[in-house]
């Protein structure tokens, strides 16, 4: 990791002051009052915030969209790591926030913003091999937060994207909304956002019975494709609709599966990630579909022959508030294909 340079006295003074404030101002946990201290446990870390952040950095798009949805654009000093255009309705707010990197920024680049809070969606972002460890930020007096969806019932110690011992529940996503709203001193906004998401989930799933439908979720890469295992965000979508994921026999978050195995399982519907980043092969839905319809192994699959595709943003396939949108879009697709009882 990039060491903190010695020749930045102004920034160092800010960070030292923040550290002093954290050590002296966090007597307990509360969510009321503009200057109230907050203490919470997050992914095994105690997070202590002396006052609502005013200059935060969000290192992943999922967390960024929660903060923007809570009306906190004016509290953000920077964002990073994007897979998709920002969620509809948030374009104006997002345009006011500096994007410090399209992918992972350096530790130094984040420190240049003089953050008073750093949040991320993934342990891999705030961990070894990522932007920096949580401890590196916390030694400078900067509290950190990682989405509990990437920790709850999940083992991130191995390679890849981790393994889930327990299926993720949408309530964990709602919990992240409440956490961040509390940290920023806007708990009522968190309540309102969660209530809106719950209402949308209920409407999307009402009267839907897809118990005879099999789904496959393809996130990225045409050479060694990443397909969803049983228990992450795609699992939330699948269970909400009563369908079955053809790879629900693996607890890996995003196992890489060969195309012969995919064709053998022959799902009824292909849920395809439509990403705008360019770090893998076949990121966009258009490129994925072109591959499926030209590859001799996949073009004879039932879903390909009948063009039963549902396109989702990358964020809808991660544990974010857009997972609710994923439920809505897959439900609409199943109705369109006449597969809902």
């Amino acid at each position: 990791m990039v060491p903190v340079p010695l020749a930045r006295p102004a920034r160092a003074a800010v960070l030292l002051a923040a550290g002093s404030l954290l050590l002296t101002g966090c007597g307990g946990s509360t969510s009321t009052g503009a200057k109230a201290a907050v203490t919470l446990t997050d992914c095994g870390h105690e997070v202590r915030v002396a006052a609502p952040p005013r200059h935060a950095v969000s290192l992943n798009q999922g967390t960024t969209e929660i903060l923007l949805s809570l009306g906190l654009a004016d509290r953000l000093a920077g964002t990073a790591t994007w897979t998709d255009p920002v969620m509809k309705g948030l374009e104006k707010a997002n345009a006011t926030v500096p994007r410090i990197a399209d992918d992972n920024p350096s530790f130094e680049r984040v420190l240049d913003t003089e953050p008073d809070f750093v949040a991320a969606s993934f342990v891999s972002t705030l961990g070894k091999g990522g932007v920096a460890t949580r401890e590196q930020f916390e030694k400078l007096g900067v509290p950190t937060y990682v989405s509990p969806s990437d920790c709850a019932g999940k083992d991130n110690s191995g390679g890849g994207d981790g393994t889930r011992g327990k299926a993720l529940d949408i309530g964990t996503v709602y919990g992240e909304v409440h956490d961040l709203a509390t940290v920023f001193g806007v708990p009522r906004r968190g309540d309102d956002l969660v209530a809106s998401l719950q209402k949308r989930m209920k409407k999307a799933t009402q009267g839907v019975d897809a118990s005879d439908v099999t789904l496959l979720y393809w996130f990225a890469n045409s050479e060694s494709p990443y397909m969803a295992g049983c228990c992450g965000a795609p699992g939330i979508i699948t269970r909400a609709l009563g369908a079955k994921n053809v790879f629900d026999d693996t607890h890996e978050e995003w196992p890489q599966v060969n195309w012969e195995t995919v064709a053998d399982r022959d799902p009824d519907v292909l849920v395809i990630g439509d990403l705008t980043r360019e770090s893998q092969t076949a990121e966009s839905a258009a490129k994925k579909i072109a591959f499926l319809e030209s590859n001799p192994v996949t073009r004879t699959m039932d879903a390909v022959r009948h063009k039963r595709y549902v396109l989702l943003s990358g964020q809808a396939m991660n544990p974010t508030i857009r997972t609710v949108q994923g439920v809505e879009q897959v439900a609409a697709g199943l109705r369109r294909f006449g597969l809902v009882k």
Side-chain angles (χ1 to χ4, degrees), residues 29 31-32 62 79 129 133 149 199 211 215 226 247 257 300 320 322:
S29 176
S31 61
T32 60
T79 68
T133 65
S149 296
K199 184 177 180 180
S211 55
L215 306 173
Y226 289 92
F247 288 111
V257 183
T300 60
T320 69
R322 280 216 230 180

Side-chain angles (χ1 to χ4, degrees), residues 8 13 16 28 49 65 82 94 108 117 135 138 166-167 187 193 249 252 254 268 280 295 311 328:
R8 292 188 180 272
L16 286 171
V49 182
E65 290 184 343
W82 292 75
N94 183 59
E108 175 67 14
F117 183 77
E135 290 78 10
E138 289 160 3
K166 182 180 179 182
L193 179 54
D249 56 346
E252 291 180 60
W254 291 102
D268 297 315
Q280 302 273 345
N295 184 283
L311 312 188
E328 294 170 331

